[in-house]
Amino acid sequence: MEPDDTLAADMAASLERLAAGDLAARDRIIELCGSRLRTLAHRMLARFPDVRRWDDTDDVFQNAALRLHRALADVHPDSPRAMMALAATQLHRGLIDLARHHRGPSSYAANHGTNVGPPATAD
């Protein structure tokens, strides 16, 4: 079997375990889709420059993995494709939340001067 076939088979088995009530299956699902989720986080982060300024791929990935773990308590995808769609949705929602956090009027980003030099002196 090809590595992708093995991954899909492991994911399908873990999704079945999750549907049967095995809570440990959530951890295994996160583990199985971790590398793809990290790659997707890196690609999606490139489209959010305000977030990329303050957070890196690992931050976004960790946030998405936590969101996905919580979502799997309520949602039980029926296929590996549906699982990755759920993961992408959680990742995108996390990026939107981070963008709102960094762009808000009371955010530290709104009041941060990146290239601020010393005060000008009057001569």
Side-chain angles (χ1 to χ4, degrees):
M1 260 204 292
E2 295 292 319
D4 283 342
D5 293 339
T6 303
L7 179 66
D10 287 348
M11 180 68 75
S14 295
L15 290 172
E16 287 176 13
R17 287 181 28 225
L18 179 67
D22 183 359
L23 297 180
R26 288 192 289 177
D27 296 332
R28 179 68 178 147
I29 290 168
I30 301 288
E31 182 182 327
L32 288 171
C33 68
S35 66
R36 288 186 182 184
L37 187 59
R38 186 180 304 279
T39 300
L40 188 57
H42 180 72
R43 289 180 182 165
M44 290 177 80
L45 184 59
R47 292 181 281 178
F48 287 82
D50 290 341
V51 175
R52 191 177 60 229
R53 178 179 181 191
W54 301 102
D55 296 297
D56 63 10
T57 299
D58 289 334
D59 297 328
V60 174
F61 165 75
Q62 183 178 17
N63 184 18
L66 290 171
R67 284 173 168 269
L68 182 58
H69 195 272
R70 283 191 304 265
L72 287 172
D74 300 323
V75 179
H76 302 133
D78 58 355
S79 69
R81 181 181 292 257
M83 177 58 230
M84 288 310 296
L86 177 63
T89 300
Q90 296 303 320
L91 177 60
H92 192 249
R93 288 177 180 168
L95 282 166
I96 290 171
D97 286 349
L98 283 171
R100 287 180 181 147
H101 173 77
H102 294 311
R103 288 186 192 152
S106 62
S107 73
Y108 56 85
N111 302 304
H112 176 78
T114 299
N115 294 322
V116 176
T121 57
D123 289 328

